[in-house]
Amino acid sequence: MKKILLLLALALPAVAQKKGPALKRPKLVVGIVVDQMRYDYLYRYWDKFGRGGFRRLLGEGFSYESCHYNYVPTYTGPGHASVYTGTTPAHHGIVGNNWYERETGKGTYVTDDKTVQSVGGSVAAGQMSPAHMLTTTITDELRLATNFQSKVIGLSMKDRGSILPAGHAANAAYWYDGTNGAFISSTFYTKALPEWVTKFNAANHAAEYLSKPWTTLLPIADYTESTPDDVAWEAAFKGEEKPVFPHDLPRLSGAAPAPVAATMRAAGETPPKATPQNLDLVRSTPFGNSLTADFALEALRAEQLGQGTHTDFLAVSFSSTDYVGHQFGTTAIETEDTYLRLDRDLARLLDALDKQVGKGQALVFLTADHAADQAAGFLQAHRLPGGGVGPAIVKDSLQRALVRLHGPGQWLLSYENQQAYLNHGLIAQKKLSLAAVQEEAADILRAQPHITEAITAHDLLHGSWNEGLGHYQQNGFYASRSGDVLAVLAPGWLEAYGYPVVKGTTHGASWAYDTHVPLLFWGWGVKHGESAQEVKIVDIAPTIARYLHIQEPSGCTGRPLTEVMK
Ligand code: ZN
Ligand code: ZN
């Protein structure tokens, strides 16, 4: 008997060592952010979308029909940071694309980093890193969870659309430099571009896209979802008389027209160099998105994403929707055409995932970094409430009012992101109370017809809002980076930098037209269906964490969305 027990005991460790079922994770996570995409675009353009893009995501995946941003200001930097950190500017610190830095008295750009060097591009475009982002991202957490064996790559036309999603521990982040028409990086990530990136850049795709006019994908009469082509509130390209199709990109970018270049190549000659061409122009056309998709497919292939033992992460952001939206507004044929073409680019990406990673093997989410207001001119033309006001006017009137109250001096150091930065030194020197001057400035701002409410930094630091406008302001407030008084734009109103000529549109407010974005999940472990439950943008990162069985990002305030999970 004893002998048998001893034998059993000896056998036990061997039994325990037997491997159980392997941990189930998707091979690849693909995060897609569409810059400036309103929720309603999914359905506004539904009839015109093909089968393989948005309609495939909706038809096979899961849609959160009521996903909102829960802070202001709703801009690109904060948006991308919030999607990937699962928290708001109050914790990740990305309070705008730019903000006033009190220590230096200068503006800071969201991904500026003078301690790193450009790799593959101009100095100005390349000195970038995620250093200003103060919490980890879901992409960082994946790297940490797999002891840095997962591959994480971010890419976008915009630096901030690539760098913030890729996080602090990424293998690489690439963004576009219009001075040489190339995807570049910085020494934060690498000393030299990998060979596949250099090869991709050498093929001059941007110049190629700009060598043909931008005409509509469908006959122009089919764009019944959009306002007429020639309306007063759209902005023409520089060098163009009217904002109408066809947009003569070769002339506008200074490139040799495609047939000329082809003829020259056939004759053994080199067509005019890309240098005199304005390669930055591609950003403001749907082809900036196509270029991004081309580059994403190349990244998938060359980096063999989703083919290793550990889950990889590809973070893609499509920026051209934002440039086009700003220029032409939310109801333009140009905007519709950009989404119809993006739909095709998405189809190419999903198709590549099927082929390379395997059907249902990649987990994909798609959302936007903010939405957009209607163009001010469109609102006026249709007698709808709202409009555009110049921030310089707001700034001047606030400064003048403070001079009337307290005498001469530069009382206002900056007014940006709908926030007033007061001169703390001057206020102390005049022995005034900062809280009292903040309150005075708030009263002055409240008197402006396009401002609904103004909340002071003092109140945000000493109170707590669980809902409403104050809640949105508090979530967007980071004391050392935010202003002294935070204005809330009245519904429909936007601050227009070209004022008094207000063209196109913008975003940044706390109202649904700026906060309501699509949220689609598709692929590995995703149920088919939809939910009308209101969810927040900060819920995306913890949902991915739940799927992967990893930690949430360090400042995460969202909660995992479980309805979507199989
Ligand atoms: Zn944006
Ligand atoms: Zn924008």
Side-chain angles (χ1 to χ4, degrees), residues 211 254-274:
S211 69
V260 177
T263 312
M264 286 179 73
R265 272 194 213 103
E269 284 171 335
T270 316
K273 273 222 165 126

Side-chain angles (χ1 to χ4, degrees), residues 34-36 74-77 80 97 158 160 319 322 326 369-371 507:
V34 181
D35 207 311
Q36 206 191 101
T74 39
Y75 289 132
T76 298
H80 284 84
N97 291 329
K158 290 186 184 178
R160 56 193 184 276
S319 313
D322 184 66
H326 278 294
D369 58 340
H370 51 76
H507 46 87

Side-chain angles (χ1 to χ4, degrees), residues 67 83 365 367 519 521 536-545 561:
C67 176
V83 168
F365 70 84
T367 189
L519 176 56
F521 288 90
K536 303 297 181 198
I537 206 73
V538 294
D539 297 334
I540 297 172
T543 303
I544 300 300
L561 304 172

Side-chain angles (χ1 to χ4, degrees), residues 408-423:
Q410 195 192 351
W411 295 98
L412 191 58
L413 297 175
S414 180
Y415 180 79
E416 53 194 287
N417 306 326
Q418 293 83 242
Q419 298 175 16
Y421 290 77
L422 299 173
N423 189 338

Side-chain angles (χ1 to χ4, degrees), residues 247-268:
H247 295 285
D248 191 355
L249 301 181
R251 185 177 65 77
L252 298 168
S253 69
V260 177
T263 312
M264 286 179 73
R265 272 194 213 103

